Amino acid sequence: MHDDTSTTAAPAIPGWRLIISDTGRYWAIRNRAFPRVALRAGVEPAVDADTFEEVQAAVAKQEEKARDAVAAVEGGSS
């Protein structure tokens, strides 16, 4: 096991670009555009929060809303 206490791994959210502002606020911006139907349903491609855990939850919520919007158009259910 590699133990390097001088650096810590930056948090990441797959498919999203994570930015930490100078004030410590977390921003996540989706790397690829959501489908138009998801955007019309109010899905946000950029979210922000005070902590990594909160921004992670906000991303998960947007991804779920996008899946639901696409499923509704395709006649599926979720």
Side-chain angles (χ1 to χ4, degrees):
M1 182 167 135
H2 178 69
D3 183 12
D4 184 359
T5 56
S6 64
T7 61
T8 57
I13 302 173
W16 291 71
R17 179 176 178 216
L18 188 64
I19 300 168
I20 305 170
S21 73
D22 292 341
T23 61
R25 190 148 179 89
Y26 288 78
W27 293 81
I29 303 164
R30 198 161 195 268
N31 290 334
R32 296 182 63 167
F34 280 117
R36 285 184 196 175
V37 66
L39 295 172
R40 285 189 206 115
V43 175
E44 296 291 335
V47 294
D48 63 297
D50 291 326
T51 67
F52 176 70
E53 291 76 17
E54 290 172 353
V55 83
Q56 210 173 17
V59 162
K61 182 176 180 179
Q62 297 309 307
E63 291 288 348
E64 180 181 4
K65 286 172 63 174
R67 282 190 301 274
D68 290 349
V70 169
V73 168
E74 293 176 350
S77 63
S78 44

